[in-house]
Amino acid sequence: MMAVTSSCKEGTKIAMDNGKYVRYTPEQVEALERLYHECPKPSSMRRQQLIRECPILSNIEPKQIKVWFQNRRCREKQRKEASRLQAVNRKLTAMNKLLMEENDRLQKQVSQLVYENSYFRQQTQNTTLATTDTSCESVVTSGQHHLTPQHPPRDASPAGLLSIAEETLTEFLSKATGTAVEWVQMPGMKPGPDSIGIVAISHGRSGVAARACGLVGLDPTRVAEILKDRPSWYRDCRAVDVINVLSTGNGGTIELLYMQLYAPTTLAPARDFWLLRYTSVMEDGSLVVCERSLNNTQNGPSMPPAANFVRAELLPSGYLIRPCEGGGSIIHIVDHMDLEPWSVPEVLRPLYESSTLLAQQTTMAALRHLRQISQEISQPNVTGWGRRPAALRALSQKLNKGFNEAVNGFADEGWSMLESDGVDDVTLLVNSSPSKMMGINLSYGNGFPSMGNAILCAKASMLLQNVPPAILLRFLREHRSEWADSGIDAYSAAAVKAGPCGLPVARGGSFGGQVILPLAHTIEHEEFMEVIKLENMGHYREDMIMPGDIFLLQLCSGVDENAVGTCAELTFAPIDASFSDDAPIIPSGFRIIPLDSGMDASSPNRTLDLASTLEVGAAGNRSTGDNSGRNGSTKSVMTIAFQFVYEIHLQENVATMARQYVRSIIASVQRVALALSPSNFGSHAGFRTPPGTPEAQTLGRWICQSYRCYLGVELLEYEGSESILKTLWHHTDAVLCCSLKALPVFTFANQAGLDMLETTLVALQDISLEKIFDDNGRKALFAEFPQVMQQGFMCLQGGICLSSMGRPISYERAVAWKVVNDEENAHCICFMFVNWSFV
């Protein structure tokens, strides 16, 4: 038996073999360390080779060298674990400090509220006893106890700007660490060491406001540099122009900025801001960057209004950045805006009146971006695409910016509107400016034109009800064939010239007529990028991406159903096999933004499966009691924008095609949204089923009762904690129902059934029973089918059937039985395919 010990010093390792200690010399340790860095776990052959190549190790037994490597790996693991625990400890210490500060702030707020309550109670009592005294010259404002503000004279001089800057700093700090705003915790956000930070939204304050506190592993100067570059992390920011820069006597900097924000939908104008930004260092070493809008009340410099923009107001906001003990920074972020909701249609005003939406899209986006940058610095790596995360983030920004430009269609970027065809549901814009077309390699193949010199954008917005954005977006991503036209996909992809050689890849998963390659990469938070290959386009080789294949670079975000107030977005652009970072990107896609004020409450956990979306009672409430009554009235606005490259002389034809295509997409989305709606799912409105079709829960009960009646056994191992429908939905065997017609069509399928048929709930009724069998199968089925109606069931031996995509499926056996309703009348025929698999 052999035991091993090690000394504390790297150069004096001791091994014991057969009761004798062997001390390694510094030269021996150096040789072993050199090999360890090359290969931490060498094989027996490699260790013997090391002894032969290094004479200084000739007196060391191979067993002893093996033990040395074991100890070395153990020490490395302990060192990494110790480093990890130290980092966690530092983070917990900093988080504890943040929580203590937040607790102190809340205590001050409680004291202030108690004082205000006492004050107003006293005022109410005095009012009942005496008449109002009108001689009082001061006015106490609700919640702040400020006298009527008296701004000192200001102008555009450096002294005047410094006066505005100092006041902005004071107001910002009162919001960041004081009680100037009554903050309430962001719904669904729980502070902790693994959370993004402490996030709060304003309550009872003018405008919309959000506040966040968090830890980032970057020094304060670097944090300030990143946050000042707002277009790099704030996806709605079109541009920030620095008009003037002034240095102050206290070492600070004053900047005059002009900022433009994209409009999130085609139904509202974009916003712009005329800002003063003040950067300074406080006495405790904290770095402060604060901003506010300049307006006429301050007598500062002015900026004339811009066409097609609504001038919004940024109230004192900014960033308080403090160095954290042990490295990194503690950051306080405050965003406070008045987005002028009066300028948009009433149905859209919640977009401009929601502090929750501001927190998600701006405040939390800043924290996420900082944490992502920190992680990339501490853990540099190359993704499966051979690109670093920063390069992929730049690609995602190009996709997002291109989609925003299409949605907004600014005239200064060369966009002009085409005349309507009499129906204003779809807006068409064209752009043939040289700056827009520059760098686009428009070499076409497969019979398409060899040259294009303009871009046409077809866009529209629509109101959706009763379908959560995350669920609808996931459906659009995973079931592209439900709404996309493969011919138009090919037309769009032909604008990108294929490279001279293929790129080696491995085949990924398949969803609804598309192959998602295993190149997906998370950019930030719930946002991820992927490359998809459209099936039935070109010749697919499993090991190569070949010229002529059609691929889309796709960016998806907002698919987390539990995230409150999150915008769900799916953008994509055709790419070629070379896929260089500087390649032109012409994106299209969807954006879905929740409108309900109810989004300030946490949304229930809902999924795409039938069991979670069909359990609707007569009153529209889920029988499981998960607050779907509120969800049943959800509203959101979807914006659609598709871009097409074309030859200018074909503009009329392309415009007609684009209008029809976007209108067909709108119709498909409306059909899908209706089917996914918890209040309509399973009803005749959702699936065009005949009158008398039962609710899904009732249908599940009939299926199980009929199976028990005719076959004498239970279909499901039912547990009372779950509904029958949910258990049926997750059954491992494929369960499908078809109608009692001369040509039976499918009316219901569980998840396994949908997977087997390679279809969706929306398209299920387009599949007839006879389509899934070959000639022999159809003959056997129709020969035995009358048996089902007479004796109530039949059993089929194992065989082969076909999916909706024509793929052969083998099954061990199949059972069919008659489903009867509560009046014992035949309602449908149910099939169960046992142990099926694709051949």
Side-chain angles (χ1 to χ4, degrees):
M1 182 175 180
M2 179 177 63
V4 180
T5 62
S6 62
S7 67
C8 296
K9 297 182 179 179
E10 292 289 334
T12 58
K13 304 300 177 188
I14 300 173
M16 184 178 73
D17 189 16
N18 296 326
K20 296 182 179 179
Y21 287 93
V22 177
R23 185 180 298 274
Y24 294 100
T25 66
E27 292 78 11
Q28 290 173 333
V29 172
E30 182 180 355
L32 292 170
E33 286 285 350
R34 189 165 52 250
L35 177 61
Y36 177 83
H37 289 294
E38 295 175 0
C39 179
K41 196 173 182 179
S43 63
S44 175
M45 185 178 300
R46 184 69 182 93
R47 292 194 299 269
Q48 292 176 1
Q49 180 184 356
L50 176 65
I51 294 175
R52 291 194 301 268
E53 294 175 351
C54 299
I56 58 175
L57 299 177
S58 59
N59 64 329
I60 307 296
E61 294 290 333
K63 288 183 179 180
Q64 295 171 352
I65 292 181
K66 178 181 180 181
V67 169
W68 185 92
F69 274 95
Q70 289 175 344
N71 288 342
R72 183 64 177 83
R73 291 194 299 270
C74 182
R75 288 196 305 274
E76 183 69 20
K77 183 177 180 180
Q78 290 173 344
R79 185 180 296 114
K80 290 181 178 179
E81 180 65 11
S83 176
R84 188 189 68 82
L85 291 175
Q86 289 174 358
V88 171
N89 183 62
R90 288 195 299 269
K91 188 173 182 179
L92 290 173
T93 301
M95 181 62 71
N96 182 60
K97 183 178 180 181
L98 265 180
L99 291 174
M100 291 177 64
E101 292 176 352
E102 181 69 4
N103 185 57
D104 291 341
R105 189 193 66 80
L106 290 174
Q107 288 181 351
K108 292 178 182 177
Q109 184 171 331
V110 169
S111 299
Q112 180 172 325
L113 292 174
V114 170
Y115 173 81
E116 290 177 1
N117 185 53
S118 175
Y119 173 82
F120 286 117
R121 184 184 298 113
Q122 182 66 35
Q123 289 292 101
T124 302
Q125 293 174 353
N126 292 342
T127 302
T128 60
L129 298 175
T131 59
T132 303
D133 182 6
T134 60
S135 64
C136 181
E137 297 180 357
S138 64
V139 179
V140 179
T141 61
S142 174
Q144 297 186 52
H145 303 293
H146 291 166
L147 296 179
T148 303
Q150 299 293 329
H151 294 289
R154 298 183 181 90
D155 51 36
S157 66
L161 292 176
L162 181 59
S163 176
I164 298 174
E166 292 291 349
E167 182 181 277
T168 302
L169 174 62
T170 301
E171 292 189 38
F172 159 67
L173 292 177
S174 69
K175 297 175 183 178
T177 60
T179 59
V181 174
E182 182 181 349
W183 300 109
V184 296
Q185 182 173 306
M186 171 89 166
M189 295 296 299
K190 295 182 179 180
D194 296 325
S195 70
I196 191 174
I198 303 171
V199 184
I201 56 177
S202 64
H203 176 68
R205 186 78 177 183
S206 61
V208 290
R211 170 181 173 270
C213 311
L215 311 173
V216 293
L218 301 168
D219 65 85
T221 303
R222 177 64 174 144
V223 171
E225 177 185 335
I226 293 172
L227 292 176
K228 283 185 175 183
D229 185 17
R230 193 178 262 110
S232 70
W233 58 266
Y234 185 21
R235 298 301 175 86
D236 289 341
C237 184
R238 184 192 185 202
V240 176
D241 294 330
V242 179
I243 306 301
N244 198 5
V245 180
L246 300 173
S247 298
T248 62
N250 59 4
T253 302
I254 295 175
E255 300 168 275
L256 300 182
L257 311 175
Y258 176 64
M259 179 173 71
Q260 292 181 344
L261 301 185
Y262 290 110
T265 173
T266 62
L267 302 176
R271 264 55 183 165
D272 67 351
F273 298 81
W274 172 232
L275 304 172
L276 178 144
R277 177 197 286 164
Y278 182 37
T279 305
S280 62
V281 179
M282 301 182 67
E283 295 181 357
D284 62 356
S286 300
L287 186 59
V288 179
V289 180
C290 56
E291 300 172 328
R292 79 174 307 155
S293 287
L294 293 171
N295 50 46
N296 295 332
T297 61
Q298 296 156 343
N299 296 323
S302 61
M303 170 68 71
N308 302 319
F309 284 87
V310 171
R311 181 63 50 85
E313 181 179 7
L314 179 69
L315 291 90
S317 306
Y319 319 104
L320 171 62
I321 313 164
R322 295 181 295 176
C324 183
E325 184 178 351
S329 304
I330 300 176
I331 179 172
H332 296 252
I333 302 177
V334 172
D335 290 302
H336 192 178
M337 298 181 180
D338 183 351
L339 295 172
E340 305 294 342
W342 58 266
S343 63
V344 301
E346 185 173 355
V347 69
L348 294 182
R349 289 181 185 174
L351 293 182
Y352 299 86
E353 296 174 338
S354 170
S355 294
T356 299
L357 204 60
L358 176 71
Q360 283 281 3
Q361 297 187 348
T362 308
T363 316
M364 295 170 64
L367 269 182
R368 291 193 189 104
H369 185 75
L370 290 170
R371 295 185 68 173
Q372 183 71 21
I373 296 293
S374 175
Q375 182 178 354
E376 292 173 6
I377 293 175
S378 61
Q379 301 174 358
N381 64 328
V382 177
T383 69
W385 301 16
R387 288 167 168 81
R388 295 194 176 275
L392 294 182
R393 193 169 57 252
L395 281 173
S396 75
Q397 290 170 352
K398 286 178 66 175
L399 274 171
N400 190 273
K401 183 177 179 64
F403 183 71
N404 274 324
E405 289 176 354
V407 169
N408 286 262
F410 293 117
D412 59 6
E413 291 177 349
W415 292 101
S416 59
M417 186 179 300
L418 293 182
E419 291 185 5
S420 171
D421 63 348
V423 183
D424 294 331
D425 57 338
V426 178
T427 302
L428 297 187
L429 301 174
V430 294
N431 194 332
S432 57
S433 63
S435 60
K436 188 70 176 177
M437 305 305 298
M438 187 178 298
I440 298 181
N441 188 349
L442 297 170
S443 180
Y444 285 60
N446 300 327
F448 290 105
S450 60
M451 184 177 182
N453 48 24
I455 298 176
L456 183 142
C457 175
K459 59 183 182 178
S461 292
M462 56 189 292
L463 184 67
L464 300 174
Q465 298 193 55
N466 303 337
V467 57
I471 291 179
L472 178 56
L473 192 86
R474 284 214 310 271
F475 188 96
L476 294 174
R477 170 182 173 258
E478 296 175 5
H479 303 281
R480 185 180 180 87
S481 61
E482 291 290 342
W483 55 267
D485 185 297
S486 59
I488 293 179
D489 280 335
Y491 177 90
S492 299
V496 184
K497 183 179 179 180
C501 60
L503 299 176
V505 297
R507 181 160 186 166
S510 177
F511 289 105
Q514 66 192 34
V515 174
I516 298 184
L517 301 176
L519 302 179
H521 176 75
T522 299
I523 306 298
E524 290 182 6
H525 190 48
E526 295 296 329
E527 179 179 271
F528 58 91
M529 185 184 293
E530 59 196 0
V531 172
I532 65 174
K533 176 190 179 298
L534 304 183
E535 290 184 344
N536 302 322
M537 303 284 183
H539 301 286
Y540 186 84
R541 281 187 53 187
E542 186 168 347
D543 59 339
M544 298 287 284
I545 296 177
M546 300 301 297
D549 288 340
I550 295 179
F551 295 93
L552 297 179
L553 177 65
Q554 184 163 274
L555 186 68
C556 187
S557 62
V559 295
D560 182 6
E561 301 163 40
N562 297 316
V564 181
T566 303
C567 168
E569 194 164 313
L570 180 69
T571 53
F572 42 85
I575 60 173
D576 68 353
S578 60
F579 184 36
S580 60
D581 292 344
D582 59 350
I585 291 180
I586 306 177
S588 303
F590 306 89
R591 174 180 292 152
I592 315 172
I593 311 176
L595 290 174
D596 303 67
S597 58
M599 67 187 175
D600 288 339
S602 60
S603 55
N605 184 18
R606 304 184 61 230
T607 62
L608 264 176
D609 65 37
L610 189 65
S612 66
T613 42
L614 294 194
E615 297 172 30
V616 184
N621 293 324
R622 292 266 301 279
S623 59
T624 52
D626 68 7
N627 298 325
S628 126
R630 182 197 67 217
N631 240 4
S633 60
T634 57
K635 293 181 181 179
S636 57
V637 59
M638 169 181 271
T639 297
I640 303 171
F642 278 72
Q643 299 190 78
F644 308 90
V645 179
Y646 69 100
E647 286 187 276
I648 196 68
H649 69 276
L650 297 175
Q651 178 171 298
E652 184 176 349
N653 293 336
V654 174
T656 301
M657 177 271 293
R659 277 197 181 97
Q660 293 176 349
Y661 186 43
V662 171
R663 283 170 180 162
S664 71
I665 291 175
I666 291 174
S668 298
V669 169
Q670 289 174 333
R671 179 166 55 92
V672 170
L674 184 62
L676 295 177
S677 169
S679 61
N680 293 322
F681 215 145
S683 69
H684 66 278
F687 281 104
R688 310 181 306 280
T689 50
T693 296
E695 296 285 350
Q697 183 69 30
T698 304
L699 177 59
R701 179 170 55 84
W702 290 352
I703 291 173
C704 295
Q705 287 177 350
S706 301
Y707 187 89
R708 184 192 315 117
C709 175
Y710 292 118
L711 283 88
V713 294
E714 294 289 344
L715 174 63
L716 306 174
E717 295 180 1
Y718 174 68
E719 296 181 4
S721 60
E722 291 189 345
S723 68
I724 293 176
L725 181 61
K726 187 170 185 179
T727 308
L728 181 64
W729 174 260
H730 293 293
H731 198 285
T732 55
D733 294 325
V735 178
L736 306 104
C737 292
C738 65
S739 60
L740 295 174
K741 295 182 178 180
L743 183 63
V745 295
F746 290 106
T747 58
F748 170 86
N750 67 352
Q751 181 64 69
L754 295 177
D755 292 341
M756 186 185 81
L757 294 182
E758 293 188 294
T759 188
T760 66
L761 287 169
V762 179
L764 184 64
Q765 285 194 342
D766 296 330
I767 304 173
S768 62
L769 179 62
E770 66 172 10
K771 284 184 179 180
I772 72 169
F773 291 100
D774 57 15
D775 291 338
N776 293 332
R778 277 193 291 269
K779 291 178 182 178
L781 175 66
F782 293 136
E784 301 290 340
F785 203 76
Q787 180 182 344
V788 179
M789 302 307 297
Q790 293 174 8
Q791 85 176 31
F793 74 98
M794 70 174 181
C795 295
L796 299 174
Q797 295 180 351
I800 299 293
C801 63
L802 303 174
S803 75
S804 63
M805 307 293 290
R807 296 175 66 187
I809 303 164
S810 66
Y811 56 92
E812 183 179 297
R813 60 187 174 88
V815 181
W817 68 97
K818 180 170 59 175
V819 176
V820 297
N821 58 22
D822 293 331
E823 288 75 31
E824 298 187 357
N825 296 321
H827 176 73
C828 64
I829 300 294
C830 192
F831 288 83
M832 181 169 67
F833 294 85
V834 180
N835 293 335
W836 65 271
S837 63
F838 291 108
V839 177

